[in-house]
Amino acid sequence: MILKWKGDSMATYNQEQQQLIDASLTHKVVGVAGAGTGKTTTILGRTQRILKEFNTGKVVLITFTRMAANDMRQRLMRQLNEKDARRVTVGTFHSIIGQLIRENAVDIGLQPSFSIIDENSTNVMYQSIIENNDTYYDLFTEWFIGPEGNPIDPKHTKLLKKDFKKFSDAISTMVNTSYPNELMTGQFGAETKNRLSKIWGYPPEMIDALLPTYHAIFKDSLALGRETNTVNYDHILFIGYLMTKSGMLDSYSDSIVHMIVDEYQDTNLLQDAFVRAVGGNKLTIVGDVDQAIYEFRGGKAELIDEHAKEAEVVNLTLNYRSFQPILDIGNTIIQKNESGKDIRQPLRANREFGEEFGGILQTHALFDKQESDHIISRIKFLMSKGVSTNDIAILVRSRMSIASINMALQKNKIPINDTTKFADFMKSDVMRDTLNFIKIFTNPKDIYAFMGILDRPKRGLGAKAIQTLQENAANHTLSVVEYLLSEHITELKPAMRKKVQSFVDVYQTLIDPNNQHMSLPDMVAYVLKETGYVEWVNGLKNNETHKRNFEILKGMVADFTKEYDEQHENYTLFDIANAFTFEMTSSIRQEDKDGVTIATIHGSKGLEWKHVIILGMEQENFPGNKVVDDADMESERRLMYVAVTRAKDSLWLCQSDHRITYGEQELTPSQFLDEAGELIVKKL
């Protein structure tokens, strides 16, 4: 065993970890890191070795989520001196490429002040493109309403907002699933078409009909982005790819001594192209094919296998999280997958058996209410032994499985941390409106942000008013915001001028050079107060949620400011406001809550609990009912593997013959229970 770098939480590296740390720095390296094997700690150790080997040059660490990036950055700052810390860039693909786009904005046809548009604005953007092109509109009307204007719903005679959202989601999937050259040319191969057919649920003939139009709209959206100085979140990766193709990032690549990319099993084709172009052979990729569960977002686990053929491969198999019987179940199920078989090695436990081991259980219930009673009894037993509810998780393949247990937990007054709810703070009105206010400050051409906040709070300014402002502004070759700040505003009727005046006053205050010393928290507080937004929200019925969201926002702004302070010097209000909107547009923050965690398996990735309960162990539920081929089954098996390997001390697999959400339908046990077989030590 070898001593770790000072500051880390564990005392030693094991032999496998040290092998990855010491691997080549001039030849590509693939780290196959199983669940719970100390992957992040090893990456940090390798980073420190790189810094020691090279006195100059950058090290780039790319992670899959902002949360993971922040965690890694904080750990590095505790371990490195200031000089070395500034040589390391840590971020997600989108944050790193987004910064490169900003640095090269003028060469791309943008201004450095460009803003990232969120999901709502993206839907509006695609709606405007489709509605302003008769060919697009007629095609989609025929496909989604019918040639006679006679859809299933007789009232549905024109394209609706939900239809435009569907188009927006479809184009996003196309961008994140396709090969870069396909996006360049619009010529899509059979492999991509098959993937899109599965994800979209469209027959092959419809894929062939729609793809050319989707690609044309995608190209139009790139052009519209240059006009409005905005970048669609899904465009960031493609623009990054274009920059590598043009040679624009050659000097950036030359400045890097090594690139490390984590969670490579979730990497899509555009991200892979960027890594190959910028990282070259100065590259370490770390991932686990068996934990690839984001194919629907474009993740392509096979990329690890492809890199492994031309790289030094190091396996991390010593698991510090779980007891061996838990790992045995995961190993047994996942070994049936063909993908990854050439590089897969079974996980082995570092933990020795002790009283903490709670066993592997299986419950068979006639109804999910009976199942819930068993689970409640188990949770109460664990609590009586001093186990915190924070150490217990209930994982589900589908949200349809949680109705009964949710009610049972509430009835028994057991605290719940339900991460499956759609009503996430990041999508709340308070967060969205605040970001739009700040985006307008940093990018006056962002018409989507402007449309989002012109009537927030309510001023009686609807679509007609926005159209008038757009037309007047266009007549003077100005953006709407520039028009409102100009002498031409006198063209407006007095009533309309009065309605927009509070917005104009706030904006003028923010852009005053004398106010550039204002902090981001002060800016947010000022905007929300002076626009009348806080007063308006407080006057709404049932405003407790809004008030709570204000508090969350306050904390989030403070946290971001602290992080930004640690990484930057001599920045302006404009700089931090721009960075804040970028990060928040691309982030979803889950509020930390005490209680038994209820999470989807997708949402559990990267987390762990002492005691894990997996619900819905029935065929057609888990594995899911959309399995049509071996590839689909392999995906389901990877999900099961991820769920199992979240457990540290005990694992409980729950199967019920009937569930509320499935009505009278009788369910059969999941095939994963058979595959686990005798490894399940106790059945109830």
Side-chain angles (χ1 to χ4, degrees):
M1 307 294 276
I2 301 173
L3 290 179
K4 289 187 175 180
W5 301 96
K6 65 178 182 178
D8 218 335
S9 58
M10 298 173 63
T12 57
Y13 292 117
N14 67 46
Q15 187 175 357
E16 294 172 336
Q17 293 170 332
Q18 192 65 45
Q19 185 182 351
L20 181 54
I21 291 170
D22 291 338
S24 174
L25 299 180
T26 57
H27 185 66
K28 188 186 299 183
V29 175
V30 173
V32 182
T37 55
K39 173 188 62 174
T40 300
T41 295
T42 309
I43 287 173
L44 296 179
R46 183 161 174 79
T47 301
Q48 291 186 308
R49 185 218 161 184
I50 296 168
L51 293 169
K52 188 177 180 180
E53 292 285 336
F54 298 95
N55 294 321
T56 60
K58 299 176 183 176
V59 180
V60 176
L61 299 185
I62 301 178
T63 65
F64 196 64
T65 65
R66 182 172 176 264
M67 183 182 298
N70 286 340
D71 176 63
M72 196 170 289
R73 187 182 298 112
Q74 292 299 320
R75 291 175 66 175
L76 277 171
M77 289 180 67
R78 291 195 297 267
Q79 298 173 28
L80 300 176
N81 59 52
E82 185 176 349
K83 178 183 177 183
D84 283 344
R86 292 192 178 281
R87 291 173 58 199
V88 184
T89 300
V90 186
T92 63
F93 275 105
H94 285 85
S95 66
I96 287 173
I97 297 175
Q99 183 57 40
L100 292 171
I101 295 173
R102 201 170 300 283
E103 292 170 2
N104 296 272
V106 176
D107 295 330
I108 302 171
L110 296 167
Q111 298 172 14
S113 61
F114 72 84
S115 50
I116 306 296
I117 61 174
D118 60 18
E119 181 181 343
N120 286 335
S121 296
T122 298
N123 298 342
V124 172
M125 175 191 67
Y126 284 123
Q127 180 173 347
S128 68
I129 291 173
I130 294 169
E131 288 184 335
N132 288 305
N133 185 300
D134 290 341
T135 301
Y136 297 158
Y137 194 89
D138 291 344
L139 174 65
F140 289 131
T141 299
E142 181 176 346
W143 272 107
F144 293 95
I145 298 179
E148 306 299 325
N150 188 29
I152 296 176
D153 181 358
K155 297 180 181 178
H156 189 183
T157 57
K158 63 179 182 178
L159 296 178
L160 307 174
K161 283 189 176 181
K162 65 179 182 181
D163 296 316
F164 293 113
K165 184 182 184 310
K166 186 185 297 182
F167 306 147
S168 177
D169 291 343
I171 294 173
S172 174
T173 303
M174 179 188 74
V175 174
N176 287 296
T177 302
S178 304
Y179 286 91
N181 65 303
E182 294 175 325
L183 293 173
M184 291 282 289
T185 64
Q187 303 298 312
F188 297 88
E191 178 193 338
T192 298
K193 288 180 179 180
N194 288 336
R195 285 203 305 273
L196 291 174
S197 181
K198 275 189 177 182
I199 297 171
W200 289 342
Y202 295 158
E205 63 271 16
M206 193 169 182
I207 298 291
D208 288 333
L210 288 178
L211 263 182
T213 304
Y214 278 142
H215 186 260
I217 294 173
F218 168 65
K219 290 175 60 180
D220 289 350
S221 69
L222 288 167
L224 186 59
R226 289 191 291 272
E227 291 178 20
T228 58
N229 199 36
T230 59
V231 174
N232 182 318
Y233 184 68
D234 290 320
H235 291 171
I236 293 174
L237 299 179
F238 183 68
I239 295 173
Y241 170 74
L242 294 179
M243 292 168 70
T244 65
K245 292 288 289 185
S246 68
M248 200 175 294
L249 300 184
D250 288 353
S251 60
Y252 174 73
S253 178
D254 292 341
S255 71
I256 296 172
V257 294
H258 208 80
M259 174 183 283
I260 303 176
V261 188
D262 192 13
E263 302 286 2
Y264 213 84
Q265 74 278 354
D266 299 322
T267 299
N268 67 26
L269 292 163
L270 281 172
Q271 292 164 333
D272 182 65
F274 175 84
V275 167
R276 291 177 184 271
V278 175
N281 282 324
K282 305 174 294 185
L283 176 65
T284 299
I285 68 172
V286 183
D288 183 6
V289 174
D290 297 335
Q291 296 188 74
I293 60 174
Y294 290 111
E295 299 100 322
F296 63 97
R297 295 182 184 172
K300 201 167 189 297
E302 297 91 332
L303 293 171
I304 294 180
D305 288 327
E306 293 176 12
H307 281 282
K309 294 174 183 176
E310 53 186 27
E312 177 183 351
V313 179
V314 180
N315 282 81
L316 302 184
T317 63
L318 189 60
N319 177 286
Y320 292 91
R321 176 184 298 159
S322 310
F323 287 111
Q324 191 62 51
I326 296 172
L327 298 180
D328 288 341
I329 287 188
N331 290 334
T332 298
I333 289 173
I334 203 64
Q335 71 178 1
K336 297 182 181 296
N337 276 7
E338 286 293 314
S339 58
K341 68 177 182 179
D342 294 334
I343 57 176
R344 175 185 301 116
Q345 292 184 15
L347 292 177
R348 46 200 181 90
N350 182 66
R351 297 179 69 187
E352 297 182 358
F353 281 109
E355 63 181 16
E356 297 93 349
F357 181 55
I360 300 171
L361 312 175
Q362 178 188 336
T363 296
H364 171 218
L366 296 176
F367 299 93
D368 46 4
K369 184 181 183 304
Q370 183 186 40
E371 174 189 79
S372 297
D373 291 340
H374 286 313
I375 294 173
I376 295 297
S377 294
R378 171 70 173 170
I379 292 174
K380 287 182 175 180
F381 170 77
L382 291 171
M383 292 171 65
S384 72
K385 296 295 184 181
V387 175
S388 169
T389 54
N390 295 350
D391 291 325
I392 304 170
I394 299 171
L395 306 184
V396 295
R397 172 66 179 90
S398 166
R399 292 177 176 84
M400 293 180 68
S401 303
I402 69 172
S404 180
I405 188 60
N406 219 323
M407 288 188 290
L409 288 166
Q410 293 180 42
K411 182 180 178 181
N412 286 272
K413 296 183 169 54
I414 296 173
I416 306 171
N417 177 23
D418 188 352
T419 68
T420 69
K421 293 179 179 178
F422 286 108
D424 192 276
F425 163 73
M426 296 300 297
K427 297 180 180 180
S428 68
D429 289 344
V430 167
M431 188 61 182
R432 185 172 60 248
D433 293 340
T434 300
L435 288 179
N436 282 337
F437 277 119
I438 303 175
K439 285 178 181 180
I440 287 295
F441 163 61
T442 58
N443 178 22
K445 290 186 177 182
D446 189 340
I447 186 61
Y448 312 109
F450 179 80
M451 291 168 65
I453 56 89
L454 183 61
D455 204 38
R456 310 284 287 185
K458 294 294 183 182
R459 302 183 179 91
L461 294 168
K464 187 175 180 180
I466 291 175
Q467 184 180 355
T468 299
L469 292 173
Q470 286 181 292
E471 291 173 351
N472 287 7
N475 290 336
H476 298 287
T477 324
L478 298 170
S479 72
V480 175
V481 174
E482 291 168 338
Y483 172 78
L484 290 175
L485 298 176
S486 74
E487 69 277 5
H488 303 298
I489 193 175
T490 55
E491 300 171 350
L492 298 176
K493 295 179 179 180
M496 184 177 289
R497 284 209 309 274
K498 183 178 180 180
K499 290 177 180 178
V500 300
Q501 194 60 51
S502 65
F503 169 82
V504 173
D505 291 343
V506 171
Y507 195 89
Q508 287 177 324
T509 300
L510 291 176
I511 62 176
D512 188 329
N514 295 324
N515 290 326
Q516 284 301 293
H517 66 279
M518 186 184 295
S519 70
L520 182 63
D522 288 344
M523 175 191 183
V524 171
Y526 175 84
V527 167
L528 294 179
K529 180 183 178 185
E530 296 303 318
T531 58
Y533 190 87
V534 174
E535 183 180 1
W536 171 62
V537 166
N538 285 339
L540 298 174
K541 292 182 179 179
N542 303 318
N543 62 12
E544 291 303 315
T545 300
H546 294 299
K547 290 180 179 179
R548 176 174 165 273
N549 285 341
F550 279 134
E551 291 303 310
I552 297 174
L553 174 64
K554 183 179 177 182
M556 184 174 286
V557 173
D559 290 345
F560 181 86
T561 302
K562 182 176 180 296
E563 292 171 10
Y564 200 83
D565 283 340
E566 292 171 345
Q567 301 169 55
H568 299 83
E569 297 178 339
N570 303 319
Y571 60 85
T572 66
L573 176 60
F574 178 92
D575 296 327
I576 189 172
N578 202 305
F580 180 72
T581 60
F582 180 92
E583 290 289 348
M584 295 302 118
T585 300
S586 63
S587 301
I588 296 179
R589 167 178 167 143
Q590 178 64 51
E591 184 188 3
D592 294 328
K593 290 178 62 179
D594 291 331
V596 174
T597 296
I598 299 178
T600 63
I601 298 170
H602 285 97
S604 75
K605 180 80 182 310
L607 303 175
E608 61 183 35
W609 296 268
K610 288 183 178 180
H611 308 280
V612 169
I613 301 165
I614 305 177
L615 287 190
M617 297 300 299
E618 301 95 28
Q619 212 66 9
E620 304 289 311
N621 188 7
F622 195 17
N625 58 8
K626 294 183 179 180
V627 174
V628 297
D629 55 26
D630 291 343
D632 292 335
M633 182 53 69
E634 290 208 358
S635 295
E636 293 294 304
R637 208 171 267 116
R638 286 194 290 267
L639 268 176
M640 182 64 183
Y641 178 79
V642 167
V644 168
T645 54
R646 298 311 94 193
K648 299 168 69 175
D649 295 353
S650 75
L651 177 68
W652 193 353
L653 308 175
C654 298
Q655 176 248 324
S656 181
D657 292 343
H658 298 87
R659 293 194 179 278
I660 295 173
T661 49
Y662 287 86
E664 298 295 321
Q665 179 184 351
E666 185 166 351
L667 307 173
T668 57
S670 168
Q671 69 183 71
F672 297 145
L673 295 174
D674 288 334
E675 292 177 9
E678 295 180 357
L679 295 172
I680 301 171
V681 294
K682 188 174 182 180
K683 298 184 180 182
L684 303 175

